[in-house]
Amino acid sequence: MLKLLIADDETDTSNAIRRTIPWIDYDILLCSEATNGKEAIEIIEAEHPDIALLDVRMPLLDGLGVVKYIHDKQLNVRTIILSGYDEFSYAQTALKYGVSDYLLKPCRMEDIISSINNCKKMLLQDLEHQNLLRGIGQPFFDDLVDLAQDSPAFTDAQYMQFETQKKRLLEFIGAGDSRKSQELLQNIFQSIEAYPRTKNIIINHFLSLMLDVMKLCKDCSLSIPSELYALIDYKQMACFTTLKDLEKITDAVISQIVDSIRIKSEKSVSVRAAVDYIHQHYSETIDLNVLAGHIHITPAYLSLIFKVQTGVNFLDYLTQYRIEQACRLLKETGLKNYEIAYETGFRDEKYFSTVFKKATGMTPSKYRKIYS
């Protein structure tokens, strides 16, 4: 049974969550409740909950502060943020620190249950992966022969190189770029060969890459290739006798995922729906979560396919369209600058002028003088 912590300074909210949901039916033990972030951290340290449901605004320390603490301490606690503020900056910070979900108040109990169930799945996967890594104890790459079994782990520089390569590879896969993905994968395997260490360490690094690729598939709502499961299964991996064999099957799996992402993004109507929404609501406050909710896909997937199809990220596209509309209003109307700023979704005239000058090379007043 998994343990849940609820932290919210609004007692009505925490009481409703505690009483309305039959936690025992979901195999969840409500271990404790907190009314501020400092108390939440004390409970986390003392009772070690598996999941923390955190209000974003709390006294002493807010929910994001608790999430940062969990992230920095590398605690195995899945976090869900509850927020009454539909602000992209909150969601952006939450995502930075690895929250599992970000729910806007008032949220339905079924949304909370769904998020809790997702956390349960993630925790079970984490446990499986930990067991898998513990189970890797026998040698099975013949071409690594007897590299000194007492040799140290990767140095910090080698580890950082691997992490950088992994991050870039995931970006190329997500962008549907087959050529760059293939080239970088070759570089990764060359790095593995260039810095030989114990077989266990090499496999641990490779598994971390494959698990991130699997997460990318889930973020993109793609079915996971059966071959990918084989690459995170110890018994299956024991069948490989050389790094070349492993590289070959890995390349085939990643190529398949890249093709699926590219085909799906080409056929997707989601980006067209997102663009239409921006064109109709650019004068309003829009963030990625609002937009994703409107077209019923996850923010992570929308961000991915939006850049693939338009060539720019969501925020750059929104800003560019707002500037285009500002140019039109400067040429065609007599509205004052602050009025145009408001009409095009900029709530601060100075910020509007700064963004406008960066985009056009001139101030709004100069643009009006030249083109009106």
Side-chain angles (χ1 to χ4, degrees):
M1 183 173 286
L2 298 178
K3 294 193 292 185
L4 170 68
L5 161 68
I6 299 175
D8 196 320
D9 62 329
E10 297 177 3
T11 54
D12 289 344
T13 300
S14 57
N15 286 339
I17 294 173
R18 173 166 47 84
R19 294 171 180 171
T20 306
I21 300 174
W23 292 109
I24 195 71
D25 293 347
Y26 295 97
D27 203 30
I28 295 289
L29 173 65
L30 186 56
C31 68
S32 198
E33 295 180 41
T35 56
N36 61 67
K38 184 179 179 181
E39 186 180 358
I41 287 178
E42 291 173 353
I43 292 171
I44 288 169
E45 292 290 356
E47 302 191 31
H48 309 291
D50 301 289
I51 305 170
L53 194 62
L54 306 167
D55 184 29
V56 76
R57 286 288 182 94
M58 292 187 291
L60 300 182
L61 185 68
D62 64 15
L64 295 180
V66 178
V67 169
K68 182 178 185 300
Y69 177 86
I70 291 171
H71 175 272
D72 292 346
K73 292 288 185 178
Q74 298 183 337
L75 303 178
N76 190 26
V77 182
R78 290 288 172 175
T79 52
I80 301 169
I81 287 289
L82 300 179
S83 174
Y85 302 88
D86 189 6
E87 290 289 340
F88 184 58
S89 58
Y90 286 104
Q92 197 173 35
T93 302
L95 291 172
K96 174 184 175 183
Y97 292 121
V99 298
S100 298
D101 210 345
Y102 187 94
L103 302 176
L104 288 176
K105 292 182 177 180
C107 48
R108 302 175 303 170
M109 291 303 163
E110 49 263 43
D111 291 334
I112 294 177
I113 293 170
S114 176
S115 293
I116 293 289
N117 283 332
N118 286 335
C119 287
K120 286 174 62 179
K121 291 177 184 177
M122 293 176 191
L123 287 164
L124 289 173
Q125 288 172 358
D126 289 345
L127 181 60
E128 290 174 2
H129 298 155
Q130 288 168 13
N131 291 337
L132 175 65
L133 293 179
R134 291 192 193 102
I136 299 174
Q138 69 182 66
F140 51 87
F141 281 138
D142 295 343
D143 62 341
L144 292 181
V145 292
D146 283 329
L147 296 172
Q149 293 298 309
D150 296 328
S151 60
F154 286 115
T155 64
D156 289 344
Q158 291 162 5
Y159 176 79
M160 288 305 298
Q161 179 190 22
F162 176 81
E163 288 297 309
T164 300
Q165 288 176 322
K166 181 172 69 170
K167 181 179 178 181
R168 290 177 59 208
L169 178 62
L170 294 170
E171 290 173 353
F172 293 150
I173 294 172
D177 194 322
S178 180
R179 182 182 62 82
K180 288 184 178 179
S181 298
Q182 190 175 47
E183 289 177 353
L184 190 51
L185 183 65
Q186 290 175 352
N187 290 338
I188 289 174
F189 273 90
Q190 288 171 2
S191 296
I192 291 175
E193 292 179 316
Y195 301 113
R197 288 296 179 260
T198 66
K199 296 167 185 179
N200 290 356
I201 291 170
I202 290 174
I203 297 307
N204 286 357
H205 280 72
F206 177 78
L207 283 172
S208 75
L209 171 60
M210 290 300 99
L211 293 174
D212 282 343
V213 171
M214 180 175 283
K215 182 179 183 300
L216 177 63
C217 288
K218 292 180 178 179
D219 287 341
C220 297
S221 302
L222 295 176
S223 58
I224 298 173
S226 59
E227 295 87 352
L228 181 52
Y229 283 108
L231 292 175
I232 60 168
D233 185 286
Y234 169 66
K235 292 180 180 178
Q236 296 275 359
M237 289 198 65
C239 297
F240 294 104
T241 57
T242 67
L243 280 174
K244 279 298 179 186
D245 289 340
L246 182 59
E247 181 179 356
K248 185 176 180 180
I249 188 63
T250 304
D251 180 65
V253 170
I254 288 179
S255 294
Q256 181 181 343
I257 295 170
V258 168
D259 289 342
S260 297
I261 288 176
R262 187 172 61 250
I263 292 170
K264 188 168 185 177
S265 66
E266 288 170 354
K267 292 183 177 179
S268 173
V269 298
S270 298
V271 171
R272 289 198 296 273
V275 168
D276 289 342
Y277 187 87
I278 289 172
H279 289 183
Q280 295 171 20
H281 300 274
Y282 65 89
S283 63
E284 304 169 14
T285 299
I286 304 176
D287 63 37
L288 193 60
N289 285 316
V290 170
L291 193 53
H294 175 74
I295 58 180
H296 310 296
I297 62 175
T298 66
Y301 181 54
L302 174 59
S303 176
L304 176 68
I305 62 173
F306 195 96
K307 187 166 185 178
V308 169
Q309 289 196 353
T310 66
V312 295
N313 63 40
F314 150 75
L315 188 57
D316 287 342
Y317 185 93
L318 174 62
T319 301
Q320 179 181 325
Y321 189 76
R322 283 173 167 169
I323 293 299
E324 289 174 4
Q325 298 309 306
C327 290
R328 178 180 60 80
L329 292 174
L330 285 167
K331 288 190 291 186
E332 299 176 1
T333 73
L335 293 174
K336 298 183 182 299
N337 287 351
Y338 75 87
E339 293 174 316
I340 291 177
Y342 188 85
E343 287 291 326
T344 53
F346 296 97
R347 297 298 180 254
D348 182 275
E349 183 183 356
K350 289 184 178 179
Y351 178 67
F352 164 64
S353 296
T354 299
V355 174
F356 189 93
K357 186 173 182 179
K358 183 177 179 180
T360 65
M362 62 187 80
T363 63
S365 299
K366 186 174 181 180
Y367 184 93
R368 168 171 274 160
K369 185 175 181 181
I370 293 175
Y371 293 104
S372 64

